Amino acid sequence: MSSSSSSATDVFENGKYETIPKNVDSTGGNPDGLPVLPPEPLLIVSPMEEGEFPVLILLHGYMLLNSFYSELLQHIASHCFIVVAPQLSLLLRRSQNGQLYTCRGKDCTEDIRSAGAVTDWLRGGLSAALPSQVTPNLAKLALSGHSRGGKTAFALALGMLSITTSIPFRALIGIDPVDGSEGSQTPPPVLTYKTQSFDLEMPVMVIGAGLSEVKKCCMVPPCAANGVNHKEFFNECKPPACHFVAKDYGHMDMLDDKTPGLRGILADCICKNGKSREPMRKFVGGIVVASLRAYLGGDSTDLITVRDTPEIAPVELSAIEFLS
């Protein structure tokens, strides 16, 4: 893996590729004529140009919609990646324009199973859901997740619930992952509270939000409390792994500026936030791209550049750690 450092990087701005989003339903009349429908509804964002591209799965946070990440997905995809974002808590579609969503509760078991099923679907279903000129390179598949989705991603990568996907993951990214709330984990627990206990045969990046452990107000617990947040996830990672923490940004600050509906209102209200989402969204998108270039493409130039010159990031970083 190349590790030379340069004075600048393009990862924090949108890339050169035009992108196209596509919603793929898991039920209904299959208007696209897919050979097999996905086990969960998907939002897929891919480059429009002809080529073969690595694939990233991104799992959404608790009670959130995959559409809330559309700007982040487009940022990543514009740097020549295909991003697949399943809607893990969507149980019933009423009509093309009206959807009924429900929450699966605190237990992540079904989310883990669903994420595994989506991964297995990729081999037989993803190509048909993409533009004809776009080819997925499933030999370069990475897994990521935000908040509860970060926990779900770690659980799936660890093979919990005896789930083994038919396609191996080459990298794992936790975006402000959280395993429960103050003083308690949600089932099934992922954190072991033992340093470097995660048996992961892949490189890992953990991204933290500095304000995620701060209460919005005295009546509301922090969205990612100490003991169950990004710090402990990174503590349990073995090399190679890295950890970046954005100092003045919150647990939801990588979402779109506008997140409509009740879930969007809750995303705005329950967590301590930074002044603006755009800098954090650019940082998360950029550092994810840098890690994918390093872990899937073998070129760590951008990742090392951010490590060595953190002032180029669009946010102030309060922690940068590498295990090698």
Side-chain angles (χ1 to χ4, degrees), residues 89-294:
S89 57
L90 175 61
L91 297 186
L92 177 65
R93 181 184 290 274
R94 294 188 302 195
S95 66
Q96 186 174 3
N97 296 318
Q99 296 177 340
L100 178 62
Y101 294 91
T102 186
C103 175
R104 284 178 169 170
K106 294 183 178 180
D107 193 320
C108 291
T109 298
E110 290 307 311
D111 283 0
I112 300 167
R113 295 189 191 281
S114 293
V118 168
T119 303
D120 290 339
W121 172 86
L122 296 177
R123 191 180 300 280
L126 180 57
S127 290
L130 295 170
S132 59
Q133 71 275 16
V134 175
T135 302
N137 183 352
L138 294 177
K140 295 182 177 181
L141 174 65
L143 177 63
S144 68
H146 166 234
S147 187
R148 166 185 167 125
K151 166 186 173 156
T152 301
F154 270 84
L156 182 60
L158 287 164
M160 293 183 63
L161 307 179
S162 300
I163 296 174
T164 302
T165 59
S166 60
I167 310 170
F169 300 111
R170 301 303 183 188
L172 175 63
I173 303 169
I175 303 172
D176 213 28
V178 60
D179 185 8
S181 56
E182 285 184 302
S184 64
Q185 294 171 265
T186 52
V190 172
L191 296 172
T192 66
Y193 299 100
K194 297 178 182 178
T195 300
Q196 296 191 10
S197 60
F198 286 158
D199 189 14
L200 293 163
E201 298 181 356
M202 66 192 78
V204 183
M205 168 180 281
V206 179
I207 303 167
L211 298 181
S212 63
E213 61 194 45
V214 179
K215 293 182 178 181
K216 177 84 170 184
C217 65
C218 62
M219 301 296 292
V220 180
C223 284
N226 273 321
V228 293
N229 68 8
H230 61 94
K231 297 175 185 176
E232 185 58 31
F233 274 90
F234 180 69
N235 180 58
E236 300 188 21
C237 291
K238 297 177 181 178
C242 60
H243 185 208
F244 291 84
V245 182
K247 179 182 177 183
D248 297 316
Y249 292 86
H251 191 60
M252 301 293 187
D253 282 339
M254 67 292 299
L255 302 182
D256 293 353
D257 289 333
K258 295 181 180 180
T259 50
L262 177 59
R263 296 190 188 203
I265 294 172
L266 290 173
D268 288 336
C269 295
I270 64 174
C271 296
K272 181 74 172 177
N273 302 316
K275 293 181 179 180
S276 170
R277 284 179 173 173
E278 183 179 17
M280 181 61 166
R281 191 168 56 242
K282 284 187 172 184
F283 170 68
V284 171
I287 206 66
V288 167
V289 169
S291 69
L292 294 176
R293 287 178 175 176

